[in-house]
């Protein structure tokens, strides 16, 4: 029963495949990158897969591997896998078990680390775990091949202490027939040059064998974005990569040809008029003359359920009459499905502009994800479909793709394309036109309590773990008491002017904090909605601990809670709009937070929206400045939405006294590698409840968590050897000199696991509070 519950949930959140393996199958894995090393109590390995839409593979990189075209969907797939991993771990924790989610990609030890001899070593290999979970065989190209999709899948892993029956393994050699198209078409010759024997993956009584390639050579274009048309040396290593970056710069990401050309024999076919790539035979062929109307209706309904505000469908004929040919993007295209969401309003106000940035990040993820689902649903009906990604949060640069969506929307009366975010799925399926615009609807009048319940229930259904409401009066009262401690506080902001995989070239500014008020974000604001997304307990329990000494899951949940939180925030704003209200998505309400280094770029730290969370009755403050809640202690992230809706404030929570950390030995202070904490407390009250926390030096704190200049902040566990402690009064020149010492490759994917969080008892214990 447990297995089926988890499997069904995986499909509900978007997995195409799900498999289970027991931890004993990983007994031969290097301990530092194994499930048992990462989570010693692990019993079961859950692996989920999502499928590359076939047309995105078959048409991507057709002219050149670095002109990726529809393969840009790969970047979105990383984000979707991250969402699956996080949501599955949360689901398992809600079921009473422990779980550790693993990031989809890009958290690696590039070099050998202590006893771990592997390079480009993830916490665990999703490719290998797919075999362990009975989903895949290993191909000659080193990719995991499934019977359904061949190499056209990406995988993600969740580890749990729940005992679940494993699925049967796929015997080695079941799927790869050694056609060698991968080797023939590899532009770096990574499958024939610098081969150092065989990798042997031993699982139970099976041995899966494939060439042990030079990963530096393999990563030339796919990871380091170096020009594949250069003369690649006979020997490629880290120094060659760095020298080529300095000499030639970067070109673009590569579509891996080993993936593009890999289709198992049983499902392989060819149509050279369509693609030079083998095609995958589809399992379904739908007779459109007798299909149920439900099929198309369900696809449209699913797009709305994923957050799209409007869905438009155009036929190829209608678009051609308007001067738009979708056949050039997909041979035989019959229809285009365009999804959109309205943008946040433009503003010269800096606080509102920051809200717009956060909103548009979440909205872009929602729209692109909904298009990805539509693409897969159409393909499951037997119709090749394609979509593009113009920009991705998992890639540092624009993909260079011009979407068809905005050209299509220009043909729709009443649409201002500057006011919407959109994407389009082009498909061979014939769909009935749908170009009507919904008329204006008068929002229903609701009681304050009813609207509050609707918003809270909506937030929880979208993926928030907690939801509280604060009145603006509470927020402003707290602000008046703490403003003097923060207003004008100096920080050092360093921007890297160097290209990726090059040494830091810092541009450093000494700035002063400028605190914001609710009406700065939204004139006429009445309430603040605060949501929380948890960090799973076992992630904090195991972070940095031997044998794995992993910080990847902590860094992963740092950005996953932020990204998903913004997606949830966008949906709450759209729910407010249905009832005639406005909302602004706020990263940190009072702007007393900072950022932490992360493989997915700087992320707002866990101090964000702490005062809003206190005002919304969600918890109390610890000495280290985090909010501890009864549900999760300090292991959650808070996102705020300022609204003009007058909602019912949540009851405040307070401790039995004002010194909730009085029995602690100040482990947070002792653990801080840059001595950022002072002995001074900042205190305030809110409607009679007392709160306090230790004052910190933001420059010294950022030295550790934002700039990773001390190994204890977490970066040392990925092999960083930089250990630059700040002086008594760190200067711009001192920071500049220290940043230039960070490894030029490692700096691109930094990780942080804040010692003050990990050492806090409330990281693992929930808070007991009195209402």
């Amino acid at each position: 029963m447990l297995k089926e519950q988890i499997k069904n949930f995986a499909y509900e959140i978007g997995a195409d495949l799900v498999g289970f393996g027991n931890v004993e199958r990983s007994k031969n894995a290097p301990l530092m990158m194994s499930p048992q090393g990462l989570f010693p109590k692990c019993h079961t390995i859950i692996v989920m897969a999502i499928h590359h839409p076939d047309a995105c593979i078959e048409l991507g990189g057709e002219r050149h591997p670095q002109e990726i075209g529809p393969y840009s969907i790969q970047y979105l797939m990383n984000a979707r896998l991250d969402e699956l991993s996080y949501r599955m771990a949360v689901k398992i924790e809600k079921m009473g078990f422990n779980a550790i989610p693993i990031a989809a990609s890009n958290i690696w030890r590039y070099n050998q680390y202590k006893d771990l001899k592997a390079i480009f070593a993830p916490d665990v290999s999703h490719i290998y775990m797919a075999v362990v979970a009975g989903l895949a065989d290993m191909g000659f190209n080193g990719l995991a091949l499934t019977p359904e999709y061949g190499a056209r899948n990406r995988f993600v892993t969740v580890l749990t202490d729940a005992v679940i029956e494993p699925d049967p393994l796929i015997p080695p050699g079941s799927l790869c027939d050694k056609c060698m198209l991968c080797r023939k078409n590899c532009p770096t010759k990574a499958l024939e040059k610098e081969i150092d024997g065989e990798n042997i993956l031993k699982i139970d009584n099976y041995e899966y064998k494939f060439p042990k390639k030079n990963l530096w050579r393999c990563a030339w274009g796919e990871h380091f974005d170096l020009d594949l048309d250069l003369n690649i040396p006979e020997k490629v290593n880290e120094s060659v990569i760095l020298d080529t970056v300095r000499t030639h710069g970067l070109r673009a990401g590569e579509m891996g040809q080993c993936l593009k050309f890999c289709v198992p024999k049983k499902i392989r076919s060819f149509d050279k008029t369509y693609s030079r790539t083998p095609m995958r035979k589809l399992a379904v062929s739908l007779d459109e003359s007798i299909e149920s109307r439900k099929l198309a209706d369900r696809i449209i309904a699913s797009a709305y359920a994923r957050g799209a505000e409007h869905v438009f469908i155009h036929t190829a004929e209608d678009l051609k009459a308007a001067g738009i040919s979708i056949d050039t993007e997909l041979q035989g295209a019959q229809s285009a499905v365009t999804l959109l969401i309205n943008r946040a309003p433009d503003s010269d106000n800096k606080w509102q502009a920051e809200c717009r940035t956060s909103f548009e990040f979440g909205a872009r993820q929602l729209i692109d994800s909904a298009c990805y689902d539509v693409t897969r649903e159409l393909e499951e009906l037997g119709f090749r479909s394609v979509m593009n990604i113009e920009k991705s949060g998992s890639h540092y640069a624009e993909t260079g793709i011009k979407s068809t969506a905005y050209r299509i929307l220009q043909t729709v009366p009443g649409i201002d394309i500057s006011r919407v975010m959109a994407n389009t799925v082009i498909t061979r399926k014939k769909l009935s036109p749908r170009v009507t615009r919904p008329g204006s609807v008068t929002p229903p009048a609701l009681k304050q309590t009813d609207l509050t319940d609707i918003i809270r229930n909506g937030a929880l259904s979208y993926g928030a773990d907690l939801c509280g409401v604060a009145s603006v009066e509470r927020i402003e009262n707290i602000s008046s008491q703490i403003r003097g401690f923060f207003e004008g506080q100096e920080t050092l902001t360093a921007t890297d002017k160097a290209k990726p995989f090059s040494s830091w070239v810092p541009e450093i500014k000494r700035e002063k904090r400028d605190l914001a008020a609710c009406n700065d974000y939204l004139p006429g604001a009445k309430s603040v909605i605060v949501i929380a997304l948890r960090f799973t307990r076992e992630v904090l329990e195991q972070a940095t601990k031997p044998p794995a000494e992993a910080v990847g899951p902590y860094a992963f949940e740092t950005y996953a809670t932020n990204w998903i939180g913004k997606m949830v925030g966008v949906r709450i704003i759209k729910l407010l709009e249905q009832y005639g209200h406005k909302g602004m998505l706020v990263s940190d309400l009072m702007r007393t937070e900072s950022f932490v280094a992360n493989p997915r770029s700087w992320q707002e730290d866990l101090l964000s929206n702490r005062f809003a969370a206190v005002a919304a009755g969600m918890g109390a403050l610890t000495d280290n400045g985090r909010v501890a809640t009864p549900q999760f202690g300090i292991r959650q992230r808070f996102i705020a939405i300022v609204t003009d809706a007058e909602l019912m404030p949540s009851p405040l929570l307070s401790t039995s006294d004002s010194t909730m950390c009085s029995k602690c030995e100040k482990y947070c202070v002792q653990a801080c590698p840059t001595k950022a904490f002072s002995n001074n407390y900042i205190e305030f009250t809110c409607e009679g409840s007392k709160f306090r926390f230790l004052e910190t030096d933001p420059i010294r704190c950022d030295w550790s968590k934002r700039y990773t200049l001390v190994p204890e902040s977490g970066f040392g566990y990925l092999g960083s050897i930089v250990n630059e402690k700040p002086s008594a009064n760190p200067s711009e020149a001192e920071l500049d000199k220290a940043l230039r010492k960070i490894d030029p490759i490692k700096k691109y994917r930094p990780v942080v696991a804040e010692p003050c969080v990990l050492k806090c008892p409330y990281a693992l214990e929930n808070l007991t509070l009195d209402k």
Side-chain angles (χ1 to χ4, degrees):
M1 184 65 175
L2 175 62
K3 182 175 185 177
E4 296 309 314
Q5 285 180 306
I6 291 174
K7 186 180 292 187
N8 287 337
F9 180 74
Y11 292 134
E12 287 174 8
I13 60 177
D16 288 315
L17 299 170
V18 57
F20 301 81
N22 56 37
V23 75
E24 289 77 17
R25 290 178 177 177
S26 296
K27 66 181 180 181
N28 295 312
L31 189 58
M32 295 192 80
M33 57 178 295
S34 69
Q36 61 271 27
L38 200 67
F39 184 11
K41 295 179 182 179
C42 176
H43 285 292
T44 302
I45 299 155
I46 303 171
V47 180
M48 293 172 285
I50 57 176
H51 164 48
H52 294 86
D54 290 289
C56 294
I57 295 292
E58 292 155 359
L59 301 178
E62 277 287 275
R63 291 190 302 179
H64 191 279
Q66 289 174 296
E67 296 176 20
I68 62 177
Y71 180 70
S72 60
I73 201 169
Q74 174 89 344
Y75 306 131
L76 172 64
M77 289 174 68
N78 275 344
R80 284 301 301 274
L81 286 165
D82 284 336
E83 184 180 353
L84 263 61
S85 182
Y86 174 77
R87 290 194 187 278
M88 177 58 77
V90 169
K91 175 69 172 180
I92 290 170
E93 195 169 75
K94 287 180 178 180
M95 296 171 79
F97 303 99
N98 291 302
I100 292 182
I102 310 298
S105 189
N106 301 132
I107 297 178
W108 296 312
R109 288 170 170 142
Y110 282 97
N111 309 102
Q112 294 182 8
Y113 177 80
K114 295 187 176 180
D115 294 333
L116 180 62
K117 303 304 181 185
I119 62 173
F120 288 83
D123 290 322
V124 296
S125 167
H126 299 308
I127 290 175
Y128 298 167
M129 293 303 107
V131 180
V132 165
L135 290 179
D137 184 13
M138 289 300 300
F140 177 84
N141 50 18
L143 300 177
L145 313 185
T146 65
E148 297 87 352
Y149 306 114
R152 297 177 181 181
N153 343 249
R154 288 186 63 80
F155 305 93
V156 77
T157 304
V158 176
L159 310 177
T160 179
D161 55 9
V163 179
I164 302 172
E165 180 185 359
D167 291 325
L169 295 171
I170 296 177
S174 297
L175 298 174
C176 179
D177 65 339
K178 303 294 192 299
C179 71
M180 297 302 168
L181 287 173
C182 56
R183 185 170 68 180
K184 176 183 177 182
N185 288 283
C186 176
T188 65
K189 305 301 179 186
L191 289 167
E192 54 187 286
K193 289 187 175 183
E194 298 189 87
I195 300 297
D196 185 20
E198 282 187 319
N199 285 305
I200 302 177
L201 187 62
K202 296 181 179 180
I203 304 174
D204 287 351
N205 296 323
Y206 291 135
E207 291 188 347
Y208 301 82
K209 300 179 181 180
F210 49 98
K212 190 175 183 181
K213 58 189 175 184
N214 176 3
L215 295 179
W216 293 104
R217 174 178 287 277
C218 178
W220 181 275
E222 192 166 13
H223 182 68
F224 293 112
D225 298 351
L226 294 171
D227 193 341
L228 290 167
D229 293 336
L230 294 172
N231 291 322
I232 301 175
E234 291 299 307
K235 298 288 184 182
V236 179
N237 54 30
E238 183 176 7
S239 63
V240 168
I241 295 288
L242 290 172
D243 183 62
T244 307
V245 171
R246 285 190 293 267
T247 304
H248 297 282
L250 307 179
R251 177 172 177 174
E254 173 197 357
M255 179 180 180
Q257 302 299 285
C258 56
L259 167 62
K260 181 173 172 63
F261 282 87
C262 183
V263 181
K265 185 175 182 179
K266 185 177 180 180
I267 56 174
R268 184 192 305 152
S269 65
F270 288 91
D271 181 355
K272 295 299 179 68
T273 66
Y274 162 71
S275 171
R276 62 193 179 96
T277 300
M279 297 174 65
R280 182 180 74 95
K281 296 177 183 178
L282 301 182
V284 172
S285 178
L286 182 70
D287 186 339
E288 293 183 273
S289 67
I290 58 173
E291 70 171 282
S292 166
R293 285 173 290 181
K294 180 178 71 173
L295 294 178
D297 286 347
R298 285 177 61 180
I299 291 172
I300 294 168
S302 73
Y304 282 114
R306 290 285 308 180
E309 282 191 272
H310 302 297
V311 179
F312 300 107
I313 300 174
H314 293 79
T315 66
E317 291 81 3
D318 289 343
L319 289 174
K320 187 175 182 179
I324 301 171
S325 175
I326 58 175
D327 190 75
T328 58
E329 297 188 46
L330 176 65
Q331 185 185 100
Q334 298 292 326
S335 311
V337 183
T338 303
L339 313 184
L340 68 82
I341 191 168
N342 290 310
R343 290 181 181 270
D346 292 322
S347 176
D348 294 331
N349 177 303
K350 67 177 181 179
W351 307 118
Q352 293 176 358
E354 289 187 6
C355 290
R356 178 188 171 105
T357 299
S358 294
F359 177 91
E360 294 199 350
F361 180 92
R364 173 53 64 193
Q365 290 293 111
L366 286 172
I367 283 296
D368 288 347
S369 292
C371 279
Y372 175 60
D373 288 340
V374 169
T375 305
R376 289 187 297 165
E377 287 165 1
L378 289 165
E379 190 177 81
E380 285 184 1
L381 297 177
F383 299 94
R384 275 178 161 73
S385 305
V386 68
M387 64 169 286
N388 289 326
I389 303 296
E390 292 181 88
K391 186 176 182 180
S392 169
S394 62
H395 200 246
Y396 71 88
E398 301 282 347
T399 59
I401 293 167
K402 183 67 174 177
S403 174
T404 307
Y406 296 101
R407 290 192 292 133
I408 290 176
L409 289 176
Q410 284 178 320
T411 71
V412 180
I415 294 289
D416 179 355
I417 62 171
S418 68
R419 304 297 313 136
V420 301
M421 304 181 75
N423 207 336
T424 292
V425 178
I426 297 169
T427 179
R428 288 179 173 176
K429 182 163 187 357
K430 294 178 181 178
L431 295 168
S432 298
R434 179 189 178 98
V435 292
T436 56
R437 288 273 298 161
S440 59
V441 177
T442 302
L446 292 176
K447 295 179 181 179
Q448 183 185 35
T449 52
D450 291 342
L451 180 57
T452 305
D453 287 343
I454 287 171
I455 297 302
R456 180 178 289 109
N457 292 335
L460 298 177
S461 71
Y462 300 147
D465 283 303
L466 304 173
C467 181
V469 175
S471 65
V472 165
E473 290 75 20
R474 282 183 185 173
I475 299 288
E476 296 308 315
N477 176 259
I478 293 173
S479 178
S480 67
Q481 297 175 67
I482 67 169
R483 183 173 289 271
F485 294 99
F486 289 101
E487 191 80 56
Q489 193 177 50
E490 290 190 336
T491 62
L492 291 179
T493 300
T495 303
D496 188 5
K497 294 299 182 180
K499 57 194 172 188
F501 312 118
S502 303
S503 297
W504 262 87
V505 179
E507 180 180 274
I508 301 174
K509 296 179 181 178
R510 187 174 290 268
E511 299 178 328
K512 292 186 177 180
R513 286 197 192 278
D514 182 13
L515 269 64
C518 294
N519 281 294
D520 291 328
Y521 300 108
L522 182 63
K526 293 185 175 67
S527 307
V528 177
I529 303 161
V530 184
I531 60 171
L533 279 80
R534 76 179 78 189
F535 279 48
T536 49
R537 186 184 187 281
E538 208 63 31
V539 164
L540 275 75
E541 172 70 46
Q542 300 300 332
T544 75
K545 290 183 179 178
E549 298 182 11
V551 290
Y554 185 100
F556 164 61
E557 291 199 332
T558 298
Y559 75 77
T561 53
N562 195 13
W563 286 14
I564 297 171
K566 287 175 178 173
M567 293 165 67
V568 174
V570 169
R571 301 202 67 180
I572 292 172
I573 289 171
K574 292 303 175 183
L575 184 58
L576 284 164
E577 290 176 358
Q578 291 180 29
Y579 292 91
H581 296 287
K582 298 177 182 177
M584 300 294 282
L585 183 60
V586 182
S587 297
D588 181 57
L589 187 64
M590 294 188 189
R591 300 318 307 263
T592 65
E593 98 292 22
S594 184
F595 298 86
V596 292
N598 192 271
R600 300 299 193 198
S601 77
W602 281 339
Q603 304 291 312
E604 292 90 351
D605 65 20
L606 297 186
L607 298 172
S608 298
N609 288 309
R610 51 181 163 168
F611 303 117
V614 168
M618 302 176 84
L621 287 166
T622 60
D623 277 4
N624 62 23
R626 272 75 179 182
V627 176
T629 67
Q631 297 85 356
F632 308 116
I634 64 169
R635 55 182 178 91
Q636 66 260 301
R637 172 184 295 285
F638 298 101
I639 304 286
I641 298 100
V642 179
T643 178
D644 59 3
E646 190 167 355
L647 302 175
M648 183 66 68
S650 304
L652 287 177
L653 299 180
S654 63
T655 54
S656 56
D657 56 43
S658 62
T659 55
M660 56 182 285
C661 296
S662 60
K663 296 180 181 179
C664 175
E665 298 294 329
K666 286 190 167 51
Y667 299 122
C668 56
V669 176
Q670 295 178 41
C672 180
T674 56
K675 310 302 179 188
F677 289 101
S678 77
N679 293 320
N680 300 322
Y681 279 97
I682 298 174
E683 299 181 342
F684 64 89
T685 61
C686 185
E687 296 181 1
S689 296
K690 298 179 180 179
F691 304 93
R692 74 175 195 173
F693 58 99
L694 286 171
E695 187 175 9
T696 59
D697 182 330
I699 294 176
R700 303 183 76 83
C701 187
D702 282 353
W703 197 275
S704 171
K705 70 183 180 186
R706 187 172 186 176
Y707 301 122
T708 64
L709 291 169
V710 290
E712 300 96 320
S713 67
F715 208 10
Y717 295 97
L718 257 68
S720 176
I721 61 173
V722 175
N723 190 5
E724 295 289 315
K725 297 291 195 294
S727 65
N729 295 294
S731 65
E732 292 91 323
E734 183 181 350
L735 180 57
D736 181 292
K737 182 179 179 181
L739 287 170
R740 292 177 186 270
K741 295 182 180 181
I742 295 177
D743 183 277
I745 289 181
K746 291 185 179 68
K747 76 160 190 179
Y748 189 41
R749 303 291 186 192
V751 296
V752 167
E754 298 127 295
C756 60
V757 173
L758 297 181
K759 296 298 182 181
C760 177
Y762 293 116
L764 302 177
E765 299 174 10
N766 301 343
L767 185 64
T768 302
L769 297 171
D770 300 324
K771 285 195 176 183

